[in-house]
Amino acid sequence: MDNRCIGVFDSGLGGLTCVRELSKVLPGEDVVYFGDTGRVPYGSRSEETIKKYVRSDIEFLMTHPVKLIVAACGTASAIAVPELAVEYDVPVIGVVESAVSAAVSATKNGKIGVIGTSGTVRNGKYRDLLHKADKGFEVFAKACPLFVPLVENGYADHEVAYIICREYLEDIKKGGVDTLILGCTHYPIMKSVISSVMGDSVTLIDPGAEVARYVGEFLKSNELMSDNKCGSNKYFVSDSTEDFGKIAGLFLGKDISDIVKQIDIEKY
């Protein structure tokens, strides 16, 4: 047994979908979450800048007694984690591999869509791993850069979200995909909008849910599970705690405004 905490970071609020799923799968685990709200979004940054940001995010989480860190950010997972994970003594796990595995299992016709930030789609990690699993897969990738600000500003279910979603997903829908990877942890908050555009026959892959299941299996197989019956969560951000606390309720289903703390991420 290991009662150290799980560290989770994201460029902003999106990683809270991962925290929500971790709480379902591993209710006894303590979680420390860092949302880099002062530097969001990561998806439009250069690869070097993203790696710089991710390194400081990990360094901050390492100031806590963490036994594992989850990069609950599609951009960070695709661009930075493969290179930086080896620098640390604790496992650093991204969301890409588990989402790809779920998509491979779900697809029936071999046509898989991937949506994410510009950086994630440009990097091509999802496409590479899908083709590694089966060269015959047809992969339809689309950058959806406006989804993150829609979610971060509370417009995930607004009419404007439907309009933008229909525009972004038109070509993927025409491609006949039966599976769609939501390659950014913000996107599950727009799940109802995305599903209404794509149709009920398309399986949506939630990276937060998939990585939570993977983390559960990893902790169990490595005898790292906590023996606590009920875990606790701590939340940190690099910008306004007020704005974060208000919108966090959309992700977690509860108000956390009074327990969010702001830190200076530039120190790390």
Side-chain angles (χ1 to χ4, degrees):
M1 296 297 174
D2 190 329
N3 289 339
R4 289 179 297 166
C5 60
I6 297 172
V8 180
F9 73 88
D10 182 52
S11 60
L13 287 144
L16 292 174
T17 59
C18 180
V19 173
R20 181 185 64 202
E21 297 302 326
L22 283 169
S23 296
K24 292 178 184 177
V25 176
L26 301 163
E29 299 291 339
D30 293 339
V31 175
V32 176
Y33 180 83
F34 172 64
D36 195 6
T37 51
R39 302 187 296 196
V40 69
Y42 284 9
S44 58
R45 312 287 187 177
S46 70
E47 291 197 3
E48 286 308 309
T49 296
I50 292 166
K51 290 174 185 176
K52 175 186 174 183
Y53 288 177
V54 169
R55 186 175 277 109
S56 63
D57 297 344
I58 295 173
E59 292 291 343
F60 166 68
L61 289 174
M62 291 289 288
T63 64
H64 296 80
V66 292
K67 58 186 173 185
L68 177 146
I69 292 174
V70 178
C73 171
T75 301
S77 297
I79 294 172
V81 168
E83 178 181 327
L84 302 185
V86 297
E87 298 179 8
Y88 300 93
D89 294 332
V90 299
V92 180
I93 297 171
V95 296
V96 175
E97 286 80 0
S98 53
V100 167
S101 179
V104 169
S105 298
T107 187
K108 299 295 189 296
N109 67 5
K111 296 182 179 182
I112 300 172
V114 179
I115 55 175
T117 65
S118 299
T120 296
V121 171
R122 185 170 57 247
N123 173 265
K125 185 70 172 178
Y126 278 103
R127 183 186 299 274
D128 292 345
L129 288 176
L130 286 166
H131 282 157
K132 184 177 180 180
D134 188 329
K135 292 182 179 179
F137 284 152
E138 290 186 67
V139 181
F140 301 81
K142 177 70 176 181
C144 303
L146 292 178
F147 281 4
V148 169
L150 283 171
V151 171
E152 295 267 339
N153 289 282
Y155 285 88
D157 200 32
H158 193 276
E159 177 60 28
V160 69
Y162 284 86
I163 294 170
I164 292 170
C165 191
R166 284 193 292 268
E167 178 73 21
Y168 277 154
L169 301 184
E170 182 179 4
D171 289 341
I172 288 180
K173 188 173 182 179
K174 287 179 179 178
V177 304
D178 70 350
T179 305
L180 179 63
I181 297 175
L182 309 182
C184 172
T185 47
H186 284 73
Y187 295 1
I189 297 300
M190 293 182 62
K191 206 168 186 177
S192 62
V193 174
I194 295 169
S195 182
S196 70
V197 171
M198 294 301 298
D200 294 337
S201 63
V202 176
T203 300
L204 303 184
I205 304 298
D206 178 344
E210 298 305 328
V211 79
R213 279 191 278 272
Y214 175 82
V215 168
E217 294 168 0
F218 180 89
L219 294 183
K220 186 175 181 179
S221 64
N222 288 278
E223 299 183 350
L224 292 172
M225 297 280 286
S226 169
D227 59 4
N228 293 325
K229 291 184 178 179
C230 183
S232 62
N233 294 350
K234 295 179 179 179
Y235 302 93
F236 298 89
V237 293
S238 55
D239 203 354
S240 168
T241 60
E242 182 179 357
D243 292 343
F244 180 89
K246 287 179 181 178
I247 302 176
L250 294 173
F251 294 78
L252 299 172
K254 60 181 179 182
D255 187 1
I256 61 167
S257 299
D258 58 341
I259 59 172
V260 183
K261 295 181 179 179
Q262 183 177 351
I263 60 108
D264 181 5
I265 193 60
E266 300 298 335
K267 291 181 178 180
Y268 302 92

